[in-house]
Amino acid sequence: MRLGRDSVAGLIFLAVSLALLVQSFGLPQLPLVPVGPGFYPRIVLIFMAVTSAALIVQDLLARRAEPADVPAPAQPQRAYGLVALAFVIVALYLVLLPLLGYRIATVLFVAALQATLERPTTWRQWAVLAAIAIGTSAVTYLVFERYLTVLLPRGSWTDW
Amino acid sequence: MFELLGHGLLTLLQWNYLVPLFAGTLIGVIGGALPGVTITMTIIVILPFTYGLDPLQGLAAMTGVYVGGSAGGLVTACLLGIPGTPSAIAATFDGFPMARGGAPGRAIWLGAWSSFFGGMLGGLFLILVTGPLAAIALQFGPWEYFSLFVLAMAMVAGLAESSFIKGLLSTAIGLLITVIGTDPIGSVPRFTFGSEFISGGFPFLPVLIGIFAFAQIMSDIEKAGVPKTPEAVLAAQPSLRVSHLKVIGEILGRPFLLLWSTVVGILIGVLPAIGGSAANMLAYDQAKKFSRHPERFGTGIPEGIIASESSNNANVGGSLVTIMAFGIPGDAVTAVMLGAMTIHGIQSGPLFVSQQPALAYGIYAAYILAHLLMVLILAAGAPFMLQITRVRLAVLAPVVLVLCVIGAYALNNTMQSVYVLLIFGVFGYALVRCGFPLAPLILGLILGDQIEINLIRAIMTDDNPLLFFTRPISGALLLCAALSVALAVWQHMRHQARTPREGAPEF
Amino acid sequence: MRTVLRILALATALAAMAMPAAAQNYPERPIKMIVPWAAGGDTDNIFRPFAPLLQKHIGQPIVIANVTGASGTVGAREAKGSPPDGYTLYAVHDYIHLVHYAGVTEVKYSDFEPICLLSATPSVLTASPKTPWKSWAELAEDAKKRPGQITVGATLGSTSHIFPALIEKAAGVKFKYVSYEGLAPRMNAILGGHIDLTDSNLTQKGKVDAGQLKFLAIAAEKRDPEAPDVPTLKELGMDIVYAVLRGLLVPKGTPAAVRAKLDEACGKAAKEAEFADAMKKQGTRVSYLNAAEYGPFLDKLDRESKVIMTELGLAKQ
């Protein structure tokens, strides 16, 4: 029998809460405080373990109640590959941010994500894309650094 | 009293006060609307400018930011599904579906006018009951706070329509996130696995933005490659027109909802340490509990927007009560306002209203006028803001994400918060895909630290655990929490009995 | 693509060439001042009025960055990790010694170079209106009768804890500590009578005038003109002078020329009448030391902190 989505999620959270629960007993006691730093986390973790277990039970019961061969409802088609790619681009942006500095990294990020979501085909569309990328970087930099007193990250490679 | 208020209003209508008030409100609306830029950050930004102003000018500008920011958050919440500020979280629940359903104008104006009416009612309370209300707040010791937070979580866990258990588990996850990092009492690292990165903990704001912004944007990207159905194309033509009279009628036609949401907002505001981020969710929960059709909440109905938005502006009034009556800041925003007052040499405290009546009633007047200005600013800006709904996703997604990154970075001026943003972006997206409700998780995040601190404080003050039940206010709150859970379970079972079960989706 | 690379290479080369000149032209861009606590707090309120004065004398904007969390140690770590180029200042008080010995952080005051000491805020022993004591003598008598029962709100292991602990030791009494981080929550609790005593400062005088708080003693050398009725601990027979001392540091390795410029600008800014006014409103007095004096002062403070923390049993072995 295949496990449902809820059971899988429940199992993950159950495992996490039990693992941390074990860890919580290794925390030191504090002078002056009658209960240690592990006291409250244990309450939370036990609560979490119980609800995770309940979720698994609920899911299993629900699955037993229904015949297993009911076809899954037709799901709209989803572009999960694109989502993964978008996450990777954001991650790259965060890696480059402290290296290239806010201004350069942001231009690259905005351009890259735009091109990924909607590939420009004509020369004109590429120009618009570049303009949006540079514009976003320049305008946000000016507004935040000059007027909102937020010093944005500088690049350790570029000092810019 | 009203003479003093009238005098305050006349003072504020002079140009040299009206201009800072207007500027503050405008900046507040903009800051509130930008995801990642909170009201706290906005108010810190204008703080240096207030040094050069006279105290009332400065406080008027700050009051404007506070009021404007509480309303500005709803614009982003409705149009993008990302709360512009934490106090607009519940506005996304119904405001966003309504806007997506083709009525962004109605969603925004419902929110704006609810903010207005909620704020005005809040103002009335603020002026009439500053003293007595604040005195009650002082009765709240660690026991009462702990019980109150438990009640808040019991209420919001019941919000989840799909599964009560998932709501509870979601709360637990939120609480667990706050436990990771440095322990708030003795600064002992907990569950950090020796990593310096984790030992800083996961600050609330980047987690919030990460979960909401990524969950929303990535869900849109999912559908990006898929050809649109005819009705989706139709819905994408947003109607900008809106009849203000009709919207106001919709709000005032639900006087009980408006009044109760306002009361919830004020009460949460008066109690220090909770703030608008929790008020709007609790008001939303109350609206749903008292509703005759709770199952329609979350589909884009006006009640959800009214509850959320009237409560968060009333919350501002409540926070001002605490600061006026005791000189104790209820949240980060009022802490900065208090800081500005002491920089001007004004002694805050219980004598403030009687010793500085001109200033105190000036703040009341600024609060009232800021609501009027806020409506005017939204009216002038709405046509431009609604254009957001027409921007293509390929442009919108990167720009919004850049703003989220800046917001997270600016919070602490460290890259750490930005990494947290991404981690919880991935996590939040996964949770949404698995059908977990986000609201209980967020409330767990907001209250987690406070629950622990108050629990430990209570134990440190007196080692008798029965005090949680025998102190009257605390005991009553815990009883309400138990009743709230019971009610939610009962409502849920009734709902399930009525609707046939749908097939559970597979991975 | 090749042109892009070429431009990048050129930019890198230019940046590299600009490096050696940095110290002479310092400062060329805004300077970040890390305040490790939230905006609107005591420390923030002291450095915020100072920032524009320093800006006036150094000639570049001073931008305050509140880097909060974990008893101020997140800010300490961030300051330590910042490039030592003079574009990051670090606003500190005595906590930097205390949290190190409490074992909260590895960061130590010696990871930084001193610039200047700015202010001293004398601690005031403050009692809840719901307590029966009118003076220190009555409190001391009661405390001897009920050891470990009178509650004190404090940030454990920080200045608000050290101060009452010193009194405990001097008077031979025993308090019970309850964790309240920050002055605002402590005020909230003490007004409601949920704690009996706390450490505060003269900014709370408004509440005392309203009869909502009681100042029992001030830990200064002599009585403060702002609150002449409050006796000093010395008058009461306890040799305790305790103030929260706030100053500026920069990361270790900052060039001497840059430090000299900062030192000079701080000296001028601290002597402005405006600064003295601002400090008075914070229940604080200006207590200026230049970089050369501040260094040894920090060394002494660090030794004393170590002794206190060890004696109180708060130091981590």
Side-chain angles (χ1 to χ4, degrees):
Chain A
M1 169 178 176
R2 273 187 68 199
L3 283 178
R5 202 179 49 177
D6 286 358
S7 301
V8 175
L11 276 175
I12 294 173
F13 288 122
L14 184 62
V16 168
S17 51
L18 291 178
L20 292 181
L21 197 58
V22 171
Q23 266 228 331
S24 76
F25 288 95
L27 290 169
Q29 279 290 323
L30 292 170
L32 297 171
V33 188
V35 290
F39 175 73
Y40 169 75
R42 280 196 283 277
I43 298 176
V44 172
L45 289 167
I46 290 168
F47 175 54
M48 187 164 164
V50 170
T51 44
S52 307
L55 184 63
I56 300 169
V57 170
Q58 188 193 40
D59 192 50
L60 291 178
L61 287 180
R63 287 182 166 264
R64 186 166 302 170
E66 280 165 36
D69 54 359
V70 169
Q75 291 255 334
Q77 198 189 341
R78 290 184 191 278
Y80 288 118
L82 205 55
V83 171
L85 196 58
F87 270 121
V88 170
I89 292 174
V90 177
L92 277 177
Y93 174 44
L94 300 195
V95 170
L96 289 177
L97 203 51
L99 301 175
L100 295 179
Y102 175 79
R103 283 167 279 187
I104 299 171
T106 302
V107 172
L108 296 178
F109 166 71
V110 175
L113 189 53
Q114 259 192 88
T116 310
L117 294 181
E118 213 173 85
R119 176 64 50 93
T121 44
T122 64
W123 180 86
R124 228 184 107 82
Q125 283 173 338
W126 276 108
V128 170
L129 180 143
I132 291 173
I134 295 169
T136 307
S137 175
V139 170
T140 50
Y141 178 80
L142 277 179
V143 169
F144 282 91
E145 187 117 330
R146 291 286 157 81
Y147 299 107
L148 299 185
T149 66
V150 174
L151 297 183
L152 295 163
R154 275 172 185 273
S156 57
W157 289 356
T158 57
D159 197 34
W160 206 53
Chain B
M1 182 190 281
F2 286 99
E3 207 173 305
L4 279 166
L5 183 65
H7 189 257
L9 284 170
L10 284 179
T11 315
L12 257 292
L13 283 172
Q14 292 165 21
W15 281 115
N16 53 343
Y17 292 104
L18 201 56
V19 170
L21 179 65
F22 177 79
T25 314
L26 179 64
I27 295 169
V29 171
I30 295 171
L34 289 173
V37 177
T38 54
I39 306 175
T40 315
M41 190 185 138
T42 316
I43 213 158
I44 292 173
V45 163
I46 71 148
L47 181 59
F49 298 103
T50 65
Y51 295 158
L53 304 173
D54 83 34
L56 184 53
Q57 284 174 325
L59 287 169
M62 290 191 174
T63 310
V65 171
Y66 204 177
V67 171
S70 295
L74 86 99
V75 176
T76 334
C78 291
L79 298 184
L80 298 180
I82 302 166
T85 62
S87 58
I89 293 168
T92 61
F93 300 164
D94 277 295
F96 186 56
M98 184 185 278
R100 276 279 159 108
R106 181 168 169 232
I108 288 189
W109 279 106
L110 267 172
W113 284 113
S114 305
S115 294
F116 178 79
F117 289 115
M120 284 294 130
L121 283 173
L124 205 63
F125 279 103
L126 169 66
I127 294 163
L128 294 178
V129 297
T130 294
L133 216 51
I136 295 171
L138 275 191
Q139 299 304 312
F140 272 60
W143 303 271
E144 285 76 19
Y145 276 112
F146 175 80
S147 305
L148 177 73
F149 297 148
V150 170
L151 169 62
M153 288 193 308
M155 282 160 71
V156 172
L159 267 183
E161 195 53 61
S162 58
S163 154
F164 188 55
I165 292 177
K166 276 188 179 171
L168 288 177
L169 183 51
S170 200
T171 312
I173 297 167
L175 292 175
L176 179 65
I177 294 170
T178 64
V179 161
I180 297 168
T182 316
D183 129 63
I185 308 289
S187 303
V188 177
R190 286 194 298 213
F191 310 137
T192 59
F193 303 96
S195 143
E196 281 235 321
F197 174 72
I198 304 179
S199 73
F202 300 120
F204 161 63
L205 205 66
V207 176
L208 171 77
I209 310 168
I211 286 181
F212 271 97
F214 281 91
Q216 191 51 53
I217 288 173
M218 293 300 169
S219 302
D220 287 346
I221 289 179
E222 268 176 14
K223 296 168 207 143
V226 184
K228 285 195 168 73
T229 56
E231 56 266 42
V233 174
L234 204 66
Q237 300 295 320
S239 138
L240 308 187
R241 259 179 309 226
V242 65
S243 153
H244 286 278
L245 273 180
K246 200 167 151 239
V247 165
I248 293 174
E250 279 188 280
I251 298 167
L252 296 184
R254 298 175 170 87
F256 176 71
L257 174 69
L258 180 65
L259 205 63
W260 188 237
S261 307
T262 309
V263 169
V264 170
I266 291 171
L267 289 180
I268 298 294
V270 168
L271 295 167
I274 316 182
S277 30
N280 68 99
M281 282 196 269
L282 296 184
Y284 185 88
D285 166 78
Q286 291 286 303
K288 192 175 167 180
K289 286 247 166 70
F290 286 116
S291 168
R292 261 167 308 195
H293 44 79
E295 71 283 354
R296 277 166 56 199
F297 273 75
T299 59
I301 57 169
E303 283 94 329
I305 305 177
I306 297 171
S308 161
E309 284 307 304
S310 57
S311 71
N312 70 22
N313 274 62
N315 181 269
V316 174
S319 304
L320 289 174
V321 165
T322 330
I323 195 171
M324 298 282 234
F326 290 103
I328 294 168
D331 56 12
V333 182
T334 42
V336 176
M337 288 179 80
L338 192 70
M341 290 209 303
T342 55
I343 282 170
H344 278 294
I346 299 160
Q347 288 279 1
S348 61
L351 294 184
F352 174 68
V353 180
S354 55
Q355 280 179 348
Q356 305 259 7
L359 202 52
Y361 281 88
I363 294 175
Y364 293 148
Y367 174 82
I368 291 167
L369 289 177
H371 278 91
L372 286 167
L373 291 174
M374 177 266 294
V375 169
L376 288 177
I377 289 167
L378 284 182
F384 303 104
M385 294 188 264
L386 289 168
Q387 296 299 325
I388 295 176
T389 53
R390 295 186 168 170
V391 176
R392 294 197 320 279
L393 178 68
V395 177
L396 194 64
V399 174
V400 170
L401 289 176
V402 166
L403 288 174
C404 293
V405 166
I406 297 178
Y409 180 80
L411 170 76
N412 236 356
N413 295 282
T414 60
M415 281 303 290
Q416 157 125 4
S417 309
V418 185
Y419 302 136
V420 171
L421 180 80
L422 178 62
I423 294 170
F424 281 91
V426 177
F427 183 62
Y429 174 69
L431 282 184
V432 170
R433 287 255 51 91
C434 293
F436 280 89
L438 292 181
L441 186 150
I442 296 296
L443 197 75
L445 263 178
I446 295 171
L447 299 180
D449 266 350
Q450 288 294 325
I451 289 184
E452 169 164 23
I453 290 171
N454 281 293
L455 176 65
I456 306 293
R457 273 178 194 162
I459 295 172
M460 286 177 88
T461 312
D462 200 316
D463 49 16
N464 177 7
L466 285 180
L467 282 176
F468 286 107
F469 305 99
T470 55
R471 285 176 67 103
I473 300 178
S474 171
L477 288 168
L478 285 179
L479 187 68
C480 288
L483 288 177
S484 180
V485 171
L487 183 68
V489 170
W490 179 72
Q491 239 182 12
H492 189 67
M493 278 161 58
R494 195 182 56 165
H495 175 68
Q496 272 201 331
R498 270 204 235 142
T499 50
R501 212 190 138 73
E502 295 154 30
E506 297 259 358
F507 257 123
Chain C
M1 197 61 208
R2 192 176 293 163
T3 40
V4 174
L5 277 178
R6 214 174 280 164
I7 292 169
L8 271 178
L10 193 68
T12 322
L14 275 175
M17 263 153 57
M19 278 306 221
Q24 285 130 50
N25 301 337
Y26 174 86
E28 300 173 304
R29 53 180 166 92
I31 299 170
K32 176 154 108 177
M33 185 192 285
I34 294 182
V35 172
W37 288 281
D42 281 355
T43 305
D44 189 71
N45 281 348
I46 283 177
F47 285 98
R48 246 171 230 284
F50 184 69
L53 299 173
L54 181 58
Q55 180 168 334
K56 188 170 128 194
H57 292 286
I58 199 112
Q60 278 288 344
I62 305 286
V63 180
I64 291 189
N66 299 97
V67 186
T68 60
S71 309
T73 54
V74 174
R77 210 167 55 221
E78 178 72 11
K80 187 187 170 185
S82 298
D85 52 9
Y87 291 102
T88 307
L89 305 178
Y90 172 35
V92 291
H93 72 56
D94 319 65
Y95 92 106
I96 185 157
H97 310 290
L98 303 172
V99 288
H100 176 75
Y101 289 115
V104 180
T105 178
E106 291 302 309
V107 182
K108 209 169 181 288
Y109 82 105
S110 49
D111 293 324
F112 302 92
E113 308 263 12
I115 295 298
C116 62
L117 176 71
L118 285 176
S119 71
T121 313
S123 291
V124 180
L125 182 64
T126 311
S128 164
K130 307 211 168 156
T131 57
W133 325 301
K134 288 187 190 62
S135 67
W136 161 253
E138 291 177 33
L139 163 62
E141 196 184 325
D142 196 14
K144 284 197 176 113
K145 270 188 240 148
R146 306 187 289 143
Q149 288 192 34
I150 291 170
T151 50
V152 179
T155 308
L156 297 186
S158 193
T159 50
S160 57
H161 180 190
I162 301 302
F163 172 57
L166 289 171
I167 294 178
E168 265 185 324
K169 200 171 145 237
V173 295
K174 196 94 197 81
F175 298 136
K176 181 197 266 182
Y177 291 94
V178 184
S179 169
Y180 282 89
E181 199 154 331
L183 186 57
R186 284 204 288 279
M187 281 302 125
N188 192 17
I190 201 165
L191 290 186
H194 307 294
I195 49 177
D196 298 325
L197 290 174
T198 195
D199 156 48
S200 79
N201 55 47
L202 292 176
T203 51
Q204 304 304 319
K205 197 170 157 287
K207 300 186 184 77
V208 175
D209 293 341
Q212 299 241 338
L213 272 188
K214 291 185 277 194
F215 281 168
L216 295 181
I218 185 166
E221 285 287 350
K222 43 184 196 294
R223 293 193 183 204
D224 195 287
E226 296 285 306
D229 305 336
V230 182
T232 66
L233 284 169
K234 284 199 154 176
E235 287 173 43
L236 298 169
M238 283 171 280
D239 189 18
I240 300 170
V241 174
Y242 197 78
V244 181
L245 302 159
R246 293 181 170 90
L248 284 175
L249 307 175
V250 290
K252 199 157 198 86
T254 305
V258 169
R259 278 186 284 137
K261 278 192 181 163
L262 280 169
D263 187 9
E264 190 195 337
C266 277
K268 286 182 188 156
K271 287 187 182 74
E272 296 261 352
E274 225 175 292
F275 184 57
D277 275 355
M279 288 306 97
K280 203 170 150 195
K281 288 168 188 161
Q282 301 298 334
T284 298
R285 59 192 160 76
V286 179
S287 172
Y288 174 74
L289 289 180
N290 67 22
E293 299 157 336
Y294 190 31
F297 182 80
L298 280 172
D299 295 337
K300 181 169 150 267
L301 213 56
D302 192 65
R303 281 194 303 272
E304 288 173 0
S305 303
K306 188 178 181 181
V307 171
I308 295 174
M309 294 294 279
T310 316
E311 278 180 3
L312 298 177
L314 296 170
K316 201 175 180 182
Q317 270 75 47

